[in-house]
Amino acid sequence: MKILGISAHYHDAAAALLVDGAPVAAVQEERLSRRKNDAGFPMGAIEYCLDQAKLEPEALDAVVFYERPMLKFDRILTTLLRNFPRSRTAFPHAMKNSLGEKVWVRGIITSRLGVPGRRILFTEHHQSHAAAAFLTADCDEAAILTADGVGEWATLTTGRGARKAGGGATIALDREIRFPHSLGMLYSTFTAWLGFAVNEGEYKVMGLAAYGRPAMADAVRKLIPRTADGAFRLDLDYFEVQSTARRSFSDRFVDLFGPARSRYEPIDLATETGRHYADVAASVQAVLEDILVDLARDLQRRTGLRDLAFGGGVALNGVANARILRESGFERLHVPSAPGDAGCALGAALFADQVHFGNPAPAFPAHAFFGPAVDGDDLARIAGEDGFNVDRIDDARMIAETAEDLHAGRIVAWMEGRCEYGPRALGHRSILAAPHDAEMRDRLNRDIKYREEFRPFAPVVPAELADVYFDLPAGAAPLGKFMAGVFPVRPEWRERLAAVTHVDGTARVQTLERDFAPRLYDLLQAYGRLSGLPILLNTSLNLAGEPIVCTAAEGYSTFRRSGIDLIVAEGVRVRKRGRATAPARRQEEMA
Ligand SMILES: [Fe+2]
C-alpha cells in the first residue's frame, strides 16, 4: 500500500510516505520552504514525497492526518467557553486557527491533493507519537510513553505496542492525562517565563539548568501536585493556559518565582538574578525528570517489558531520557529521530499501515535520512559561478584531507546524501570541527551560529569507542544513535573535549555505527589517527533563526555568510581563500 502521512497546522509541518511498509521519503516543510518551524499545509513536503516515489496523488491508497481536528476543536472550544469571559481575547485567535484550518482538514486535503475523502484517515495525536516511537524501534514489543504540550485532549499517554507474528502491529494506549494537565505545558510555561521562545527554546532551559541548583524544586512542585494514582495535575492558579493567547503564567506564578525575564535581557550568571534563572531552570528540569522516571518505573512494573518507546516533544529532553534509562528499570529506551510533531507525519502513516490496515512491514531502517539528497554538481556550479576554485576528489582523499583540515582547526560544512528527518543534524547536514578547545566553541558561537547558548555543541564518536570517552549506561545505543541522550563525559577526557562538554561534565553524544553514515565514520577514524581522539564536534548546518539547510545552494549560502572554512558535498570541495590557517593542534595520545 501507498500511504502518505501529514502533520500540519500547529507547529513544524511534515509529510512522510510509506510504500509497502517502507519509508520512501519523509521531510519537514521548513527544510523546503525555508521558514523555520513552518506549520502551513506541507505542500512542498508532500510533492517531494510523491516525486521520490514517482507517484501521482490518485495512486495513494490512504492519506493520514496526524490528529483528529474535530476532537481538537472540541477541546479548544470547551476550554474557551468554560473560561468565558476571561478567555475573550483568546477566542478570536483560536477561532482563526481552528475553524479556518484545523477543522476542515479533510476538505483541504481533498482540494489540494485531489484525493477522495473516503481515502483520508485520521489518527489520534498521541497514537501518531506512539507509532513514531514504537514502530521505528528495533524491538517486537515495548511499553510506550508519550508526552507533549497537548494534542487533542491527551497530553501524556502510556500503553504498549507489539508486532504480530503474521504481520501488522497493535498499539494500545490504556492511560492518559488530559489537557490542561500537561508536562509539556509546565516546561513551556517556564520557557516563556525565562524569556525563550515556546516550542523552540525548551532546550535552552535544559542547558541553563546545568548552571543552577534545583533550589526551587519545592516551589515547582506546588504547580504540579501528584495524584494518588501516581500521575499529576497542574494547579491552574499558577497558569493562564486556558484563557489567554498571550501569556501562559499567572500573577501567582510571578509571586512565587519573581518577574519574568525579558528576552532582550542577557542572562548573566555572575549576578544573583542570573543565578536565580538558572536555579529555576534546574528546578523545573528536576521535577520533570522525577515525574517521568516515576511514570516510567510504574509502566515497567505494570508491563514487565524490557523496552520503552518514548515519543512526543518531551522526549527531546536528553537529560530526562538518560535518567529514565538509568532509573526506570527498562533495559533500552527508544526515542525516534523526530519525536515531536513533525515526526507525527511518519507516525500517522505507520499507524495506519500496520495497526489500522494490519499490513506487514519490513524492519524499519536504522537511520533518519529520508529527505532530499544533496547534489555535488550543484555545489560545483554555484561556487564556480561565484569565482571559487572547485576541487573534485575521490572519497579516500576527501576523508584524509578533511581530517587534516579539521586537525588544523578549520571548520567544515559537511553535506552528503539525503537530509535528516527530525531536529538534529546527524552527519548529513552538519558543521564539523575539532572538539578539544573551548575556543572552538566560542568561535562557532561568534562567527557561525551567532548565538549565545547554554548548550555546548555535541560530539559524534564511533559507537564501539563511545564507552572509552563517555559514561553510557547499558542500553544507551538507541538513544546515542539519534543524539537523544545526555551522558557524562568521562572525567579524564573532559579537558580534551572542552568544546563539547557542558558545564556539568555531560555531552549530548551521537554514537555512530559505520552503516549509518560511512563517510563520516571513516572521517572520525582518520581524524582519530591524526589527533588521538576519534571524536568531532557535530552541529547543524544552519545559521541562527534558519532551518537546517537542505540543498547544496543553501549549504553554499551558509558557508559564504559565516566563518565556515570549507564546504564538502558528494566529492566536491570548496574552500574560502585568504583565511589564515589556525595553528596545528597538539598531538593527543592515542586512546
Ligand atoms: Fe504533539
Side-chain angles (χ1 to χ4, degrees):
M1 284 182 96
K2 302 171 188 71
I3 299 176
L4 180 74
I6 296 173
S7 66
H9 296 160
Y10 177 59
H11 181 255
D12 222 0
L17 179 67
L18 298 174
V19 175
D20 297 330
V24 172
V27 67
Q28 287 146 266
E29 186 69 7
E30 64 158 29
R31 305 287 158 88
L32 306 172
S33 72
R34 311 309 300 158
R35 282 190 295 271
K36 196 164 167 62
N37 300 326
D38 193 340
F41 189 76
M43 209 55 214
I46 292 168
E47 279 169 5
Y48 163 71
C49 288
L50 294 174
D51 282 354
Q52 190 66 19
K54 299 186 173 57
L55 289 180
E56 295 298 324
E58 305 83 74
L60 292 168
D61 297 292
V63 177
V64 195
F65 195 69
Y66 79 127
E67 61 184 12
R68 294 185 189 276
M70 283 312 292
L71 210 53
K72 183 161 185 165
F73 184 61
D74 172 59
R75 189 256 301 166
I76 291 168
L77 206 59
T78 308
T79 307
L80 288 171
L81 291 176
R82 202 182 280 157
N83 286 281
F84 194 83
R86 267 209 306 162
S87 59
R88 63 192 182 284
T89 53
F91 196 74
H93 181 78
M95 290 303 274
K96 178 174 160 284
N97 281 348
S98 300
L99 266 183
E101 289 168 338
K102 290 177 186 126
V103 176
W104 309 120
V105 166
R106 193 186 296 267
I108 291 170
I109 294 173
T110 305
S111 67
R112 297 294 294 270
L113 295 186
V115 174
R118 64 188 146 76
R119 283 196 218 152
I120 299 168
L121 306 173
F122 296 86
T123 53
E124 285 180 22
H125 188 93
H126 280 256
Q127 286 176 331
S128 303
H129 278 314
F134 170 58
L135 294 173
T136 60
D138 180 21
C139 59
D140 289 333
E141 201 176 3
I144 296 174
L145 173 65
T146 66
D148 67 359
V150 62
E152 299 100 350
W153 281 100
T155 66
L156 184 145
T157 70
T158 62
R160 60 199 296 164
R163 294 179 204 280
K164 293 189 201 162
T170 57
I171 288 180
L173 301 177
D174 53 9
R175 292 189 184 184
E176 69 175 26
I177 295 172
R178 293 189 133 209
F179 180 87
H181 309 291
S182 161
L183 279 182
M185 286 204 308
L186 173 80
Y187 210 82
S188 294
T189 300
F190 281 94
T191 304
W193 180 83
L194 283 164
F196 304 126
V198 169
N199 286 331
E200 244 187 282
E202 280 75 6
Y203 75 98
K204 295 182 188 175
V205 179
M206 190 183 84
L208 183 60
Y211 290 88
R213 296 164 304 119
M216 305 286 289
D218 283 342
V220 176
R221 286 190 195 101
K222 284 188 188 163
L223 277 55
I224 186 161
R226 306 298 293 274
T227 51
D229 60 356
F232 59 83
R233 62 182 181 83
L234 295 188
D235 183 337
L236 298 177
D237 286 348
Y238 294 97
F239 299 88
E240 293 283 351
V241 285
Q242 302 217 21
S243 57
T244 171
R246 282 200 306 275
R247 199 182 85 164
S248 52
F249 48 86
S250 71
D251 292 342
R252 265 191 85 181
F253 185 105
V254 174
D255 290 344
L256 205 49
F257 297 103
R261 183 182 79 95
S262 150
R263 56 189 291 207
Y264 303 108
E265 170 199 346
I267 295 180
D268 181 355
L269 293 161
T271 66
E272 200 176 315
T273 311
R275 284 194 298 274
H276 175 63
Y277 292 141
D279 284 351
V280 172
S283 302
V284 68
Q285 175 68 28
V287 171
L288 174 89
E289 291 170 18
D290 289 348
I291 293 174
L292 286 170
V293 167
D294 279 357
L295 290 167
R297 201 182 281 142
D298 174 66
L299 184 59
Q300 203 284 325
R301 266 191 234 116
R302 279 195 286 130
T303 60
L305 292 167
R306 294 175 172 178
D307 290 86
L308 174 63
F310 184 22
V314 177
L316 286 166
N317 195 307
V319 177
N321 292 346
R323 267 198 67 193
I324 292 170
L325 179 61
R326 281 186 201 279
E327 298 179 32
S328 67
F330 285 106
E331 290 174 21
R332 284 172 296 273
L333 177 58
H334 305 268
V335 172
S337 73
D341 283 358
C344 284
L346 178 62
L350 288 167
F351 188 92
D353 192 32
Q354 296 182 42
V355 180
H356 178 72
F357 292 114
N359 290 325
F364 198 85
H367 64 73
F369 306 120
F370 303 119
V374 67
D375 186 337
D377 290 339
D378 274 355
L379 174 62
R381 181 179 50 76
I382 296 162
E385 286 170 1
D386 202 18
F388 276 76
N389 289 330
V390 173
D391 302 324
R392 285 183 180 274
I393 46 182
D394 63 30
D395 266 6
R397 219 183 113 194
M398 183 72 84
I399 286 161
E401 293 182 6
T402 304
E404 286 170 17
D405 280 315
L406 289 161
H407 190 229
R410 297 191 188 95
I411 297 172
V412 179
W414 181 265
M415 302 180 76
E416 68 165 303
R418 302 178 68 179
C419 78
E420 294 87 349
Y421 184 52
R424 314 271 189 235
L426 298 164
H428 279 197
R429 300 293 184 274
S430 289
I431 293 171
L432 303 177
H436 314 298
D437 300 330
E439 194 275 330
M440 177 60 84
R441 177 194 64 208
D442 297 342
R443 193 172 135 208
L444 282 162
N445 275 329
R446 189 182 63 236
D447 298 346
I448 297 173
K449 303 295 269 195
Y450 307 121
R451 64 179 192 174
E452 193 182 338
E453 293 291 347
F454 303 102
R455 286 302 307 165
F457 294 99
V460 53
V461 60
E464 69 277 14
L465 296 173
D467 274 332
V468 176
Y469 307 99
F470 304 95
D471 182 7
L472 298 173
L479 288 182
K481 185 168 67 167
F482 295 136
M483 268 186 187
V486 173
F487 300 104
V489 180
R490 291 196 186 277
E492 61 270 33
W493 297 105
R494 287 180 190 169
E495 198 183 323
R496 293 176 187 181
L497 293 171
V500 294
T501 301
H502 200 19
V503 62
D504 60 356
T506 62
R508 183 159 53 80
V509 57
Q510 180 188 2
T511 55
L512 187 70
E513 303 274 357
R514 189 171 187 280
D515 287 353
F516 190 96
R519 284 182 187 135
L520 177 57
Y521 181 94
D522 292 348
L523 179 65
L524 288 172
Q525 297 286 10
Y527 183 77
R529 286 190 289 275
L530 292 176
S531 72
L533 286 176
I535 298 173
L536 287 168
L537 179 158
N538 173 17
T539 185
S540 55
L541 179 50
N542 63 316
L543 303 183
E546 297 180 3
I548 299 177
V549 305
C550 182
T551 65
E554 290 146 17
Y556 183 73
S557 162
T558 304
F559 159 75
R560 287 284 272 137
R561 288 180 292 143
S562 70
I564 295 171
D565 296 300
L566 58 144
I567 179 167
V568 164
E570 302 288 328
V572 173
R573 182 178 63 199
V574 182
R575 288 176 183 285
K576 282 208 182 107
R577 288 164 295 192
R579 274 189 78 89
T581 304
R585 300 285 149 203
R586 66 182 184 273
Q587 178 72 31
E588 305 281 355
E589 68 192 58
M590 262 327 253

